[in-house]
Amino acid sequence: MVVPNFICDVYLTVIRGTPVAVQLFIMYSAILAIRGFPLELTAVLTFGINSGAYVAESLRGGLQSVDIGQTEAARSLGLGEGQAMLHIVIPQAIKSVIPAIGNELIALLKETSIVCMLGITDLTYAAQIIGAGNKMATYLAPMIVAALFYLAVVYLLVLIIRFIEKKFKQSEQHIDEKKMEKSRRRMEKRLQMIDERYEKFMAQKET
Amino acid sequence: MSEKHESMIEVTDLYKNFGHNQVLRGVDVSIHSGEKIAVIGPSGSGKSTFLRCLNLLEQPTAGTICFEGEEIFSVPLAEEGAKQRRPQPIPSRKLNAYRQQMGMVFQHFNLFNNLTVLENIMFAPIKLGKQAMHRAKRRQFFGKKGEVDTEEIKSVAQIEKEAKDQALSLLERIGLADKASAYPSTLSGGQRQRIAIVRALAMNPKVMLFDEPTSALDPEMVGEVLALIKELADDGMTMVIVTHEMGFAREVATRVLFMDGGKIQEEGPPEKVFGAPENARLRDFLSKVLQ
């Protein structure tokens, strides 16, 4: 485990320790300086690699925030490390990680405006082109429009994130009657399914 | 192996260090089937560590642990001055198989927060049942013909049905059948601990380990948990209980171990340990605890 750990350490340190603009330029001018390589793909790769480091850190925080007792309980029942992680720790970690990942997603969306560095025409660059003129004031209208576009997309993302967050909050306190009823019904359905499958199996066995 | 005289768990010369902190300094115990062992002692004496070493949640530094004659863990202690060899990790399949035969109940319950009460109980039997089924099928597929009895392999439907029936009957037994679909966070401490006990029972363990099962409970809930443990004891379950409830230890245990300074200082039937303690430290401890 020493080697993979070291690789991850280097990745996190380098990516989080340097500005995206620099990373983008290095990718463009050195690492992916292949003739005919699409610029968009360079940008996608750079932002992906960059964002991955931040998301990895949030995930680590989320996984570590789950009480070690949960893993111990699963292990003491004879479940393997992977099973405990997959079915017990990760579902609990996700809940606390969603806001952080949502944040990262929003930040990423806005960060992409720097791709104009490579000459890719994105929303910001387009607004800049439209607003180009002799007076600085000509930039105002297109930039406000661009800002509204960003705002609209970000707001949509916020709504989606909020929805997901709510979905994962299920196992929180069930003081509310309606929620309790819902979980009871879900349970009953599951148990019924087990019974049905069993009956089907027995019927099949007899024939 | 089913001989009555042979011990179920045999622990010899168990040592555990956390860095330079020696927590266990040579523990020898043999636990026979049907015994109820209470481990008492002042805090920091290594009781909980001993219990956690028993099912290898904590890997001992040195010592031997045998379960039903099979050696699970064995590392010799280094000579004076020599560096202690780091123990080899135990193969996970062997470790998991060993743990399946030991139920563990924690001080802080550790119910799975993301699952309902019934799912908490069914989870391990279903998962491990399916795992065993897949293994059997693989053996059947690759192994010699006739090595695995086809009838023996359960189907998923059977595994789930059995787990469900067992979980429901266990919940019925502790009178919490109406909480089947509740999440652990909505339950009281006593209810949670009873469910944690039942969750361990669902694996049909041969031994139950209790790590201070009532220490994190409100006083009025201690009784219900102890009553359930006593019921199990009366059913003949082998158990090791780390506890501060002296009255309970005296009532239920067939043998009491007094630990202090990482060693077992005195052991014997409860009448002797509580009635006529020989060890000076035990006398001191009892006088403080029993007033």
Side-chain angles (χ1 to χ4, degrees):
Chain A
M1 285 308 279
V2 180
V3 177
N5 265 339
F6 179 73
I7 294 173
C8 292
D9 250 9
V10 170
Y11 167 63
L12 288 177
T13 315
V14 170
I15 298 296
R16 296 197 308 154
T18 53
V20 203
V22 175
Q23 289 166 19
L24 193 62
F25 203 70
I26 292 176
M27 286 291 259
Y28 164 69
S29 63
I31 299 173
L32 292 176
I34 307 160
R35 191 180 309 196
F37 198 83
L39 280 180
E40 284 81 5
L41 200 54
T42 309
V44 166
L45 281 174
T46 312
F47 283 114
I49 290 169
N50 179 271
S51 207
Y54 289 94
V55 170
E57 275 298 295
S58 327
L59 286 180
R60 187 177 63 93
L63 290 177
Q64 281 174 347
S65 74
V66 177
D67 182 21
I68 181 77
Q70 298 281 317
T71 319
E72 280 179 356
R75 298 304 310 271
S76 78
L77 288 166
L79 292 155
E81 211 169 338
Q83 283 172 320
M85 198 66 172
L86 189 65
H87 300 288
I88 304 299
V89 179
I90 291 180
Q92 292 184 50
I94 284 179
K95 245 184 299 180
S96 57
V97 155
I98 288 170
I101 292 192
N103 253 342
E104 177 54 31
L105 190 64
I106 290 168
L108 176 66
L109 180 85
K110 291 179 293 180
E111 249 170 33
T112 53
S113 59
I114 61 166
V115 291
C116 63
M117 256 180 62
L118 307 188
I120 300 174
T121 318
D122 76 319
L123 189 56
T124 315
Y125 196 42
Q128 215 176 327
I129 296 167
I130 294 168
N134 295 332
K135 295 182 191 130
M136 290 301 260
T138 54
Y139 282 113
L140 187 63
M143 283 300 172
I144 285 176
V145 173
L148 285 177
F149 271 118
Y150 277 114
L151 194 63
V153 179
V154 169
Y155 193 67
L156 189 69
L157 280 180
V158 169
L159 287 183
I160 292 171
I161 293 161
R162 244 183 242 164
F163 175 76
I164 295 172
E165 228 173 293
K166 225 167 140 190
K167 265 251 130 122
F168 276 102
K169 271 232 165 102
Q170 259 177 4
S171 54
E172 297 288 288
Q173 300 269 333
H174 274 234
I175 309 158
D176 168 3
E177 283 285 318
K178 226 171 93 191
K179 273 190 185 166
M180 267 182 52
E181 186 59 32
K182 211 170 140 194
S183 120
R184 210 171 56 85
R185 259 201 309 251
R186 193 171 60 88
M187 198 79 225
E188 263 167 23
K189 221 167 152 187
R190 166 109 199 268
L191 294 183
Q192 215 178 353
M193 220 175 69
I194 291 177
D195 279 341
E196 272 168 21
R197 266 169 85 174
Y198 183 68
E199 270 160 32
K200 220 161 139 194
F201 169 77
M202 288 312 271
Q204 217 171 43
K205 212 174 169 189
E206 268 169 41
T207 54
Chain B
M1 226 173 274
S2 54
E3 278 176 60
K4 270 213 163 150
H5 298 291
E6 196 169 336
S7 55
M8 186 180 232
I9 305 174
E10 185 84 49
V11 178
T12 31
D13 230 12
L14 198 68
Y15 282 79
K16 174 71 189 172
N17 302 343
F18 289 108
H20 289 294
N21 186 10
Q22 288 191 316
V23 181
L24 297 181
R25 312 166 188 228
V27 176
D28 297 277
V29 189
S30 62
I31 299 164
H32 297 265
S33 181
E35 262 192 315
K36 295 111 189 59
I37 295 182
V39 186
I40 60 170
S43 53
S45 58
K47 314 183 291 290
S48 286
T49 308
F50 165 64
L51 204 68
R52 290 166 62 85
C53 281
L54 263 188
N55 79 351
L56 297 165
L57 278 178
E58 228 49 272
Q59 189 155 26
T61 309
T64 313
I65 299 174
C66 289
F67 184 76
E68 297 190 324
E70 190 194 357
E71 198 175 78
I72 304 293
F73 178 88
S74 177
V75 170
L77 188 69
E79 296 282 313
E80 192 82 35
K83 202 161 179 287
Q84 177 67 45
R85 189 163 66 86
R86 187 179 285 202
Q88 288 286 320
I90 303 156
S92 62
R93 190 177 290 192
K94 188 176 169 188
L95 184 62
N96 291 340
Y98 170 62
R99 281 179 178 153
Q100 279 174 37
Q101 310 187 51
M102 284 187 150
M104 175 103 175
V105 175
F106 298 87
Q107 185 178 354
H108 296 287
F109 333 129
N110 295 348
L111 287 179
F112 304 135
N113 294 325
N114 57 328
L115 302 178
T116 60
V117 166
L118 195 64
E119 284 168 340
N120 258 283
I121 303 172
M122 296 194 306
F123 180 69
I126 289 181
K127 274 276 163 305
L128 294 166
K130 283 185 187 171
Q131 197 180 20
M133 176 195 78
H134 289 308
R135 261 182 211 156
K137 277 192 175 162
R138 235 171 314 170
R139 261 207 313 278
Q140 187 188 31
F141 187 76
F142 291 112
K144 289 174 208 137
K145 284 235 164 73
E147 202 174 81
V148 181
D149 190 357
T150 320
E151 292 291 307
E152 282 290 288
I153 301 178
K154 287 182 192 166
S155 78
V156 175
Q158 268 174 307
I159 292 167
E160 287 188 338
K161 172 82 174 160
E162 275 170 23
K164 182 205 127 183
D165 288 346
Q166 192 191 18
L168 284 175
S169 74
L170 282 168
L171 273 181
E172 201 76 51
R173 177 176 170 184
I174 57 170
L176 291 175
D178 56 325
K179 299 283 184 195
S181 64
Y183 281 95
S185 56
T186 60
L187 303 176
S188 75
Q191 290 172 331
R192 284 191 222 181
Q193 192 61 298
R194 273 148 62 205
I195 288 161
I197 293 172
V198 158
R199 175 179 67 177
L201 283 180
M203 289 303 299
N204 299 317
K206 291 179 179 157
V207 199
M208 287 286 282
L209 310 176
F210 294 89
D211 187 4
E212 302 193 21
T214 58
S215 296
L217 292 177
D218 290 337
E220 77 262 29
M221 295 173 180
V222 171
E224 55 188 88
V225 172
L226 292 184
L228 176 60
I229 299 174
K230 186 160 187 314
E231 202 182 301
L232 288 180
D234 293 341
D235 286 353
M237 175 66 80
T238 312
M239 45 175 83
V240 183
I241 312 168
V242 170
T243 186
H244 290 295
E245 302 279 336
M246 296 304 150
F248 179 72
R250 191 171 199 161
E251 189 186 349
V252 171
T254 55
R255 187 147 60 108
V256 178
L257 307 182
F258 171 67
M259 281 186 79
D260 192 25
K263 274 183 186 159
I264 293 173
Q265 303 286 354
E266 186 162 342
E267 63 177 297
E271 306 83 52
K272 184 176 152 287
V273 171
F274 290 110
E278 282 166 13
N279 187 287
R281 276 195 266 187
L282 173 56
R283 274 201 297 269
D284 185 43
F285 174 71
L286 287 178
S287 73
K288 277 182 197 150
V289 180
L290 296 174
Q291 284 128 19

